[in-house]
Amino acid sequence: MGRSLKKGPFVDAKVMKHLKRRKEQGSKEPITTWARASTVVPDMVGYTFMVHNGRIFHKVYVTEELVGHKLGEFAPTRTYRGHSQKK
Amino acid sequence: MPRIVGVDIPAQKKIGIALTSVYGIGYTTARRILAEVGISTDVRAKDLTDDDVSRIANTIEKNHVVEGQLRRQVQQNLARLREIACYRGLRHRRGLPVRGQKTRANARTRKGPRKTVAGKKSVKGQH
């Protein structure tokens, strides 16, 4: 089930605040965030985010294609190294 | 045997069903198309006049993405997800279920035939 259109996309307020500041300063410094549930909006294109995965921050460079996805989709939370190869 | 949109050749079946042999047209879409051109779903495909066939073909071409084009579209969507390294893309890459299903048991459609691991305890005792 999709989100109600009336509400518009969920974008973390703090992320937007930092984004705005970066834009004013013309800075491209990565924005560190825990807001995995935040939607990627067109304004974010060209900026880098450090998205928390519970342990570390994954660097996510936002391109046009990522718009509409959530930040968390690009920072996997699970480690799976494959099953052990016996012998 | 009438041909509709390229290679597809439905058979002795009622046109409502015969149309579903086109990739991208299911039962509902078939019905919708026939309603639009005003042909009964119960006519056998072989009994259609050439005019009927071309009218059906025209509506499909105009309003629906089918066959090769649809296949390409699906592939492109998958490729895009893979490309951007989002969670869904990663799951597609690994051939695991994409929509949050469990993988401890089942998930055989995505994972393919079982790869038995020697020495592993039987499934019932496994926890």
Side-chain angles (χ1 to χ4, degrees):
Chain A
M1 182 93 113
R3 186 180 157 89
S4 159
L5 283 179
K6 182 189 77 180
K7 299 185 194 177
F10 169 75
V11 187
D12 189 73
K14 276 198 180 164
V15 168
M16 284 321 276
K17 191 182 84 184
H18 287 296
L19 192 65
K20 205 174 144 213
R21 196 174 297 159
R22 296 281 196 292
K23 285 214 162 136
E24 280 160 7
Q25 297 173 350
S27 158
K28 288 274 177 179
E29 202 194 321
I31 299 173
T32 303
T33 181
W34 282 258
R36 298 170 54 82
S38 181
T39 311
V40 176
V41 292
D43 286 358
M44 299 177 185
V45 171
Y47 286 84
T48 307
F49 289 82
M50 301 298 285
V51 184
H52 199 56
N53 77 345
R55 189 164 58 93
I56 60 163
F57 293 91
H58 277 274
K59 191 185 251 180
V60 177
Y61 176 73
V62 175
T63 59
E64 192 101 18
E65 295 222 291
L66 309 197
V67 171
H69 290 260
K70 309 273 179 158
L71 284 176
E73 289 183 58
F74 306 102
T77 56
R78 305 201 182 201
T79 321
Y80 174 73
R81 297 201 181 85
H83 291 299
S84 66
Q85 232 67 45
K86 264 194 181 169
K87 266 195 206 170
Chain B
M1 270 190 193
R3 285 173 71 113
I4 288 174
V5 286
V7 275
D8 285 279
I9 306 159
Q12 301 266 11
K13 302 183 175 184
K14 293 180 180 175
I15 185 64
I17 298 298
L19 276 185
T20 64
S21 60
V22 178
Y23 182 84
I25 297 182
Y27 192 75
T28 308
T29 321
R31 242 131 246 271
R32 214 168 276 159
I33 291 164
L34 292 171
E36 194 175 320
V37 296
I39 296 170
S40 160
T41 55
D42 292 331
V43 190
R44 301 279 162 184
K46 61 179 167 156
D47 298 331
L48 288 174
T49 65
D50 286 350
D51 180 50
D52 290 341
V53 173
S54 68
R55 259 158 58 217
I56 292 172
N58 279 340
T59 4
I60 293 176
E61 262 156 43
K62 212 163 49 186
N63 303 323
H64 301 274
V65 182
V66 291
E67 285 297 331
Q69 208 189 339
L70 179 57
R71 288 201 175 97
R72 226 171 306 126
Q73 196 176 315
V74 171
Q75 284 311 317
Q76 275 165 10
N77 294 345
L78 292 181
R80 183 185 143 264
L81 289 176
R82 289 199 165 104
E83 177 92 6
I84 63 178
C86 73
Y87 185 73
R88 281 174 66 198
L90 297 178
R91 300 298 281 182
H92 275 296
R93 281 190 206 167
R94 316 211 91 184
L96 288 168
V98 174
R99 301 187 177 175
Q101 300 96 321
K102 66 159 113 174
T103 53
R104 172 185 274 192
N106 303 330
R108 285 343 301 194
T109 303
R110 290 288 296 173
K111 287 168 91 177
R114 289 172 203 281
K115 302 145 212 139
T116 311
V117 179
K120 196 166 182 174
K121 294 272 188 280
S122 73
V123 177
K124 273 196 180 151
Q126 187 193 91
H127 270 298

